[in-house]
Amino acid sequence: SDLCWYMKMNPVYKRELKVGSRSIRMAVILLAFNGILSAVAFFNMYSAVEQVKMTAEIQYSRFLQLYVFVASLEFIMLMFIMPALTSNSISGERERQTLDLMLTTTMKPGEIVLGKLAAAFTTMLLLVLSSFPVLSLVFVYGGITVTDMAQLMLCYVTVALLSGAVGVFFSSMFKRSTLANVCAYVTIIFLVAGTYGANIFAYQMSQNEISSYMDAVDNITRQASSGGSIYMLLFNPAVTFYAMINQQAGDSDVAGTLERMFGAHPQNFVLEHWTEISIAVQILAAVLLIAAAVAAVTPVWERGRERRRGKDKNSRPT
């Protein structure tokens, strides 16, 4: 409740919401976002009904596949929409030469950054909530519970927070929105494809090494593995979503899924609680990026004043 009250009092947040609600951009994003999801969902249902007409059998797994496919499509769109909403947040103010004016007011740099990020996050939340009628089509035939929808919502919030934090970080680092936008998308692609590719490369190298090496004692080939690079995937939101959606679809063995993809790894606490730990790691990374963005926006004279305040406070007699 304190956070909600703080955001309501944040002038940047209120301004961004007013500007966004008056723009046709929001309506177009909502229409395109839900239009794509609805088209995919109804096409899937149409094909399922046509199959019923031909075989006189209802395959309930088709509707679970509908949920997985629509949820995955929504996840991908959210992951790439959030950087577009935040990568021009601070750099856009620099291009309009209004950032220095904002910093001369009573607003703190943290309020500017959080206000911009919260406005984009509110847009994301509106997109997610507006898509629930499409996702709830699976409730007609069962297979997905309210708890599963809550887990899906948590995964959406995590990827939106991480990708939004990446966008606002580069927006605070660069003066041009184009450069910030490119860097944000390159980072997102690296988190998704780069960490996956690094594990595939390590796994292939391990396979090549083991294929030409036999154990001298028992003559059994060692198992190939991507090694410690598997933990890079904790920063990969796509792997987190894949593990979560597999659990909801019936495959609860996350460690087994990772083993099939990247070789055998010793069982430990991280692999047993992969989804929860990866979400915590990504939220922590987002918090650090936001803190770095606030530090980048803070003027030099403001940093000097804060340091002087800290020195005066420490030197004050008790």
Side-chain angles (χ1 to χ4, degrees):
S1 58
D2 293 339
L3 180 60
C4 294
W5 177 84
Y6 171 77
M7 295 315 303
K8 288 181 180 179
M9 298 299 294
N10 190 311
V12 177
Y13 177 69
K14 293 192 293 185
R15 174 184 172 276
E16 292 294 325
L17 284 187
K18 288 181 180 180
V19 172
S21 61
R22 294 172 182 174
S23 174
I24 195 174
R25 176 187 176 188
M26 176 58 66
V28 172
I29 291 177
L30 281 171
L31 178 62
F33 186 82
N34 289 290
I36 294 173
L37 292 180
S38 300
V40 170
F42 285 120
F43 177 78
N44 189 290
M45 292 196 69
Y46 174 79
S47 62
V49 171
E50 289 298 315
Q51 186 176 16
V52 170
K53 292 180 179 179
M54 295 177 60
T55 63
E57 295 180 355
I58 300 178
Q59 295 185 357
Y60 293 100
S61 60
R62 291 291 300 271
F63 298 97
L64 184 59
Q65 294 172 3
L66 165 66
Y67 167 79
V68 172
F69 187 76
V70 173
S72 302
L73 180 62
E74 184 174 1
F75 173 84
I76 294 172
M77 287 194 293
L78 287 175
M79 185 168 56
F80 288 100
I81 286 176
M82 277 298 290
L85 296 176
T86 58
S87 60
N88 65 344
S89 55
I90 306 299
S91 56
E93 297 291 345
R94 286 197 178 102
E95 291 174 343
R96 293 187 293 269
Q97 298 182 353
T98 55
L99 181 60
D100 292 336
L101 294 176
M102 297 172 66
L103 291 172
T104 57
T105 63
T106 56
M107 288 187 300
K108 297 180 180 179
E111 292 177 330
I112 298 175
V113 173
L114 289 178
K116 293 283 188 178
L117 182 60
F121 199 80
T122 302
T123 301
M124 182 281 307
L125 187 62
L126 181 61
L127 291 175
V128 171
L129 293 179
S130 65
S131 68
F132 269 21
V134 179
L135 288 173
S136 62
L137 288 173
V138 74
F139 286 148
V140 176
Y141 298 94
I144 297 298
T145 64
V146 177
T147 304
D148 294 332
M149 295 292 285
Q151 292 176 349
L152 181 66
M153 182 69 178
L154 177 61
C155 194
Y156 284 164
V157 169
T158 302
V159 69
L161 183 62
L162 179 60
S163 56
V166 169
V168 79
F169 169 74
F170 285 109
S171 182
S172 64
M173 295 296 294
F174 300 113
K175 296 181 179 180
R176 296 298 179 185
S177 298
T178 304
L179 181 59
N181 197 26
V182 171
C183 291
Y185 278 109
V186 168
T187 302
I188 294 297
I189 292 173
F190 171 78
L191 289 177
V192 175
T195 56
Y196 176 80
N199 276 272
I200 290 295
F201 177 77
Y203 181 50
Q204 291 295 332
M205 292 295 292
S206 178
Q207 278 187 325
N208 293 337
E209 178 185 357
I210 291 176
S211 63
S212 59
Y213 175 80
M214 302 295 290
D215 191 276
V217 178
D218 51 15
N219 203 33
I220 297 178
T221 306
R222 296 178 304 177
Q223 289 184 311
S225 164
S226 63
S229 58
I230 189 73
Y231 299 108
M232 294 174 58
L233 296 173
L234 290 172
F235 294 92
N236 191 327
V239 173
T240 303
F241 176 80
Y242 180 77
M244 184 215 64
I245 207 71
N246 266 8
Q247 287 179 334
Q248 295 183 1
D251 185 6
S252 59
D253 186 11
V254 178
T257 301
L258 294 175
E259 181 176 344
R260 289 192 295 271
M261 296 171 63
F262 308 112
H265 291 81
Q267 289 293 326
N268 53 40
F269 181 81
V270 176
L271 291 178
E272 292 175 357
H273 302 83
W274 182 272
T275 304
E276 296 83 357
I277 293 177
S278 61
I279 287 176
V281 168
Q282 291 165 29
I283 292 176
L284 178 60
V287 171
L288 294 177
L289 287 172
I290 294 171
V294 173
V297 173
T298 304
V300 177
W301 56 266
E302 180 70 20
R303 299 175 192 172
R305 187 171 63 179
E306 291 294 333
R307 283 196 294 266
R308 287 194 297 272
R309 286 179 180 177
K311 291 180 180 179
D312 294 340
K313 184 177 180 181
N314 293 332
S315 61
R316 189 175 302 168
T318 57

